Amino acid sequence: MWVTNLVAMALLATAASAATAASAATAALADKVLSNHATLLANNSASLAFSLYQNMVKEKDLENILISPVVVASSLGLVALGGKASTASQVKTVLSADKVKDEQLHAGLAELLEEVSDSKTRNVTWKISNRIYSPSSVNFADAFVKSSKKHYNYDHTKINFKDKKSAVKSINDWAAKSTDGKLPEVTKDVERTDGAMIINAMFFKPHWDEQFHQKMVDNRGFLVSRSHTVGVPMMHRTGLYGFHEDTVNKLLILSIPLAHKKSSLVFFMPYHVESLERLEKLLTCKQLDDWMGKLKETAVAVSLPKVSMEVSHNIQKHLGELGLTEAVDKTKADLSNISGKKDLYLSNVFHASAMEWDTDGNPINTSIFGTDKLKNPKLFYADHPFIFLVKDTKTNSILFLGRLVRPKGEKMRDEL
């Protein structure tokens, strides 16, 4: 009997030791420090974010914007992987990483994306699917297929644009399926069909560190402009948040932590209904750091649209204007690592995202209710166009940057 007990105790000790080791490994993974080149690329992707955003707002009739700088950076990494000579080196210039070696560029971008998109660590839903299409006459080189899957998790598909309608449907069906139906459409048409096409299809849903009241959701008006209002569901709650009022630039800044407090959703809202152009001109990394440094824990009564955004941008032209001039030029591009031949250029870069804001989150800390901490709360009522970003705490990178100008909703009676 005592032998049986001894064996049982030994098995328990072994199991406990294994559990402790697993727990330690998990903790070590969570506390893993980014490499120097991944840290550099995290910072530089934030700079890229503002440059790309500033370039995109010049487009006429563009309303909502939604881009993921770290995913754009990884797409650029794919271009460097497929390119040779100056076609590849221009990627480093765009990322302000000229001194970074090729292997460090790819390893660093892969490390950064893996870190920030870890749904368990950050407790958010973030589905990222990447695909590169080529004309049906082009064959992908085995080395490129292997490397692009390893570093950037890309899959590869040939597409026949002789039947353009069918090809576009195939692209949209893939994006919808890879995002569980959250992103039904990447594009209605493709103008340039003779080159390589990069597509990012994403769905992001934050999980608040403290949930909004599920029953405190009602229909309100969102002022797209002073004369145009749409009806949207608005969710409400009062809590302690990072808050700053910039009286000089006449805007409110609110930072709401996401679950596990690994990242935050930060909102920049002008006092009144206005074009966002004035505020957008202020956006730089330096200005962001200044604003973030002035945030103070404050009682805030928050009202946010409970909406989803589906936005697709073809950023090929914008990347060209930011310095990626060769890859996007049919006469100059050398993307011969992709197929083994100098027969491709970067004809399209579709960057498509769906983001959903809901009430879901961790239970509310009720211990502060009825205390002085929530007395006289500031009001943050997001009923008109604003800019927002998702900021990662650990890497200091920007996971998403965008603006909400026109949420989905029925037009309400024009107001006087």
Side-chain angles (χ1 to χ4, degrees), residues 48-72:
L48 172 66
F50 292 122
S51 297
L52 179 58
Y53 184 95
Q54 302 279 13
N55 205 280
M56 292 174 69
V57 298
K58 297 174 185 176
E59 280 189 42
K60 291 183 178 180
D61 303 321
L62 182 63
E63 294 182 325
N64 299 337
I65 293 176
L66 186 58
I67 54 173
S68 173
V70 291
V71 174
V72 172

Side-chain angles (χ1 to χ4, degrees), residues 212-225:
F212 281 73
H213 298 283
Q214 293 179 358
K215 294 182 179 180
M216 291 182 64
V217 177
D218 55 10
N219 290 321
R220 303 283 180 99
F222 186 97
L223 295 142
V224 176
S225 67

Side-chain angles (χ1 to χ4, degrees), residues 327-369:
V328 301
D329 188 329
K330 188 175 182 178
T331 64
K332 297 179 180 178
D334 184 353
L335 296 174
S336 52
N337 281 338
I338 294 179
S339 65
K341 301 177 182 178
K342 197 174 176 181
D343 55 356
L344 282 175
Y345 75 109
L346 191 60
S347 57
N348 298 276
V349 182
F350 287 107
H351 188 76
S353 309
M355 182 178 287
E356 189 174 292
W357 294 338
D358 207 337
T359 57
D360 297 344
N362 293 337
I364 295 171
N365 175 16
T366 58
S367 65
I368 60 173
F369 290 170

Side-chain angles (χ1 to χ4, degrees), residues 71-82:
V71 174
V72 172
S74 71
S75 296
L76 286 168
L78 183 80
V79 175
L81 197 64

Side-chain angles (χ1 to χ4, degrees), residues 353-411:
S353 309
M355 182 178 287
E356 189 174 292
W357 294 338
D358 207 337
T359 57
D360 297 344
N362 293 337
I364 295 171
N365 175 16
T366 58
S367 65
I368 60 173
F369 290 170
T371 68
D372 289 344
K373 289 185 176 180
L374 293 184
K375 271 190 174 181
N376 303 316
K378 300 287 186 180
L379 181 65
F380 190 90
Y381 191 78
D383 70 339
H384 55 275
F386 55 82
I387 296 169
F388 64 90
L389 56 84
V390 181
K391 196 169 193 304
D392 187 64
T393 305
K394 179 177 177 179
T395 66
N396 204 35
S397 56
I398 296 174
L399 309 188
F400 279 92
L401 171 63
R403 69 182 184 190
L404 182 64
V405 172
R406 185 186 294 271
K408 288 184 290 185
E410 294 295 324
K411 182 178 179 181

Side-chain angles (χ1 to χ4, degrees), residues 247-402:
T247 55
V248 174
N249 292 305
K250 299 180 180 179
L251 73 143
L252 302 176
I253 301 152
L254 176 72
S255 177
I256 303 181
L258 304 185
H260 299 341
K261 297 185 178 179
K262 298 287 186 180
S263 55
S264 297
L265 235 168
V266 187
F267 300 88
F268 306 88
M269 189 176 69
Y271 284 173
H272 308 293
V273 182
E274 62 172 273
S275 163
L276 292 174
E277 184 179 359
R278 177 184 66 84
L279 175 54
E280 287 166 339
K281 288 180 178 178
L282 300 174
L283 288 177
T284 62
C285 284
K286 183 179 180 181
Q287 181 62 72
L288 176 63
D289 289 342
D290 180 64
W291 279 330
M292 297 300 288
K294 290 178 179 177
L295 293 175
K296 291 184 179 179
E297 188 178 75
T298 307
V300 187
V302 179
S303 295
L304 291 178
K306 179 180 176 290
V307 294
S308 61
M309 298 172 61
E310 296 90 35
V311 185
S312 182
H313 306 288
N314 188 349
I315 60 173
Q316 185 253 22
K317 178 184 72 173
H318 302 298
L319 293 176
E321 290 170 350
L322 293 179
L324 197 74
T325 57
E326 287 197 12
V328 301
D329 188 329
K330 188 175 182 178
T331 64
K332 297 179 180 178
D334 184 353
L335 296 174
S336 52
N337 281 338
I338 294 179
S339 65
K341 301 177 182 178
K342 197 174 176 181
D343 55 356
L344 282 175
Y345 75 109
L346 191 60
S347 57
N348 298 276
V349 182
F350 287 107
H351 188 76
S353 309
M355 182 178 287
E356 189 174 292
W357 294 338
D358 207 337
T359 57
D360 297 344
N362 293 337
I364 295 171
N365 175 16
T366 58
S367 65
I368 60 173
F369 290 170
T371 68
D372 289 344
K373 289 185 176 180
L374 293 184
K375 271 190 174 181
N376 303 316
K378 300 287 186 180
L379 181 65
F380 190 90
Y381 191 78
D383 70 339
H384 55 275
F386 55 82
I387 296 169
F388 64 90
L389 56 84
V390 181
K391 196 169 193 304
D392 187 64
T393 305
K394 179 177 177 179
T395 66
N396 204 35
S397 56
I398 296 174
L399 309 188
F400 279 92
L401 171 63

Side-chain angles (χ1 to χ4, degrees), residues 80-206:
L81 197 64
K84 287 184 178 180
S86 53
T87 298
S89 63
Q90 280 187 347
V91 169
K92 292 182 182 179
T93 302
V94 174
L95 289 172
S96 302
D98 292 288
K99 295 182 180 180
V100 177
K101 296 179 180 178
D102 289 352
E103 59 269 25
Q104 291 178 332
L105 177 77
H106 302 306
L109 287 171
E111 180 186 351
L112 173 62
L113 190 58
E114 181 181 13
E115 170 66 40
V116 299
S117 63
D118 185 339
S119 295
K120 289 184 179 178
T121 302
R122 280 159 174 72
N123 199 8
V124 298
T125 299
W126 194 5
K127 297 179 182 294
I128 307 172
S129 297
N130 300 311
R131 176 172 280 192
I132 180 169
Y133 287 93
S134 76
S136 53
S137 59
V138 174
N139 293 315
F140 291 106
D142 291 341
F144 174 76
V145 170
K146 184 177 179 180
S147 296
S148 56
K149 283 184 177 179
K150 173 186 175 183
H151 292 298
Y152 303 113
N153 197 29
Y154 265 77
D155 62 17
H156 314 74
T157 304
K158 293 183 181 183
I159 193 161
N160 183 1
F161 272 104
K162 289 182 179 179
D163 184 352
K164 186 182 283 191
K165 185 177 180 180
S166 176
V168 170
K169 182 179 184 301
S170 176
I171 291 169
N172 289 332
D173 286 349
W174 165 78
K177 183 178 179 180
S178 63
T179 57
D180 296 332
K182 299 294 185 179
L183 187 67
E185 185 177 270
V186 168
T187 184
K188 294 183 185 299
D189 191 17
V190 178
E191 294 180 6
R192 296 174 296 276
T193 61
D194 57 345
M197 182 190 308
I198 289 175
I199 301 183
N200 312 128
M202 294 169 281
F203 171 61
F204 185 88
K205 182 178 180 179

